[in-house]
């Protein structure tokens, strides 16, 4: 599966932004999807994940209550709605996929084998 992230940009602190991930090459319903981010000089950080049918979602502690992950398998897309953005949310955001048909558990980052190219999110204070 190939992944293409989009929707990043510049937003003021407190604002909202939605990033999207479009999958091609395979049907998205076979995959657990995740969003990760990486700021300069830091390790890649887990942001959110969603299981194949959207019933199960997981969030990193720093984004709980502010970010929402969703998916539309018919459109082969996964979205990350980001609200109440903070300066520390600024990073390159990556979508990733791990083959996990009918799965319902959070997968560790090293199981995500497919990665998009990343989209930059900048938050101005």
């Amino acid at each position: 599966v190939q992944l293409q992230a989009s929707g990043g940009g510049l937003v003021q602190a407190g604002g909202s932004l939605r990033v999207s991930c479009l999958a091609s090459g395979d049907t998205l319903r076979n995959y657990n999807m995740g969003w990760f981010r990486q700021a300069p000089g830091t390790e890649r950080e887990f942001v959110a994940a969603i299981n194949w049918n959207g019933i199960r979602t997981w969030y990193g502690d720093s984004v709980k209550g502010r970010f929402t992950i969703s998916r539309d398998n018919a459109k082969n897309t996964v979205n990350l709605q980001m609200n109440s953005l903070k300066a520390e949310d600024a990073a390159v955001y990556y979508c990733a996929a791990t083959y996990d048909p009918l799965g319902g558990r959070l997968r560790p980052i090293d199981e995500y084998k497919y990665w998009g190219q990343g989209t930059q999110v900048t938050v101005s204070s």
Side-chain angles (χ1 to χ4, degrees):
V1 65
Q2 293 81 46
L3 305 175
Q4 183 173 1
S6 62
L10 173 65
V11 62
Q12 285 190 330
S16 298
L17 198 65
R18 187 177 78 165
V19 292
S20 297
C21 181
L22 176 64
S24 60
D26 197 357
T27 180
L28 194 64
R29 64 184 291 113
N30 289 328
Y31 295 85
N32 173 308
M33 299 297 297
W35 283 98
F36 299 81
R37 67 187 183 187
Q38 189 168 21
T42 69
E43 293 188 354
R44 195 162 294 189
E45 176 190 11
F46 169 72
V47 176
I50 188 167
N51 80 319
W52 71 280
N53 62 357
I55 295 298
R56 299 294 309 277
T57 58
W58 303 270
Y59 296 94
D61 288 342
S62 61
V63 307
K64 282 180 182 176
R66 299 188 298 121
F67 289 14
T68 303
I69 189 171
S70 62
R71 66 189 298 157
D72 185 337
N73 288 339
K75 296 182 179 179
N76 264 15
T77 58
V78 177
N79 298 310
L80 183 69
Q81 177 66 41
M82 304 182 289
N83 298 330
S84 302
L85 282 160
K86 306 175 182 179
E88 52 264 40
D89 294 319
V92 177
Y93 282 71
Y94 298 90
C95 61
T98 180
Y99 187 74
D100 190 27
L102 306 181
R105 294 186 295 116
L106 177 63
R107 316 306 299 188
I109 185 171
D110 59 1
E111 291 191 10
Y112 286 86
K113 302 302 184 185
Y114 308 96
W115 292 81
Q117 84 286 5
T119 185
Q120 177 73 51
V121 172
T122 303
V123 182
S124 63
S125 55

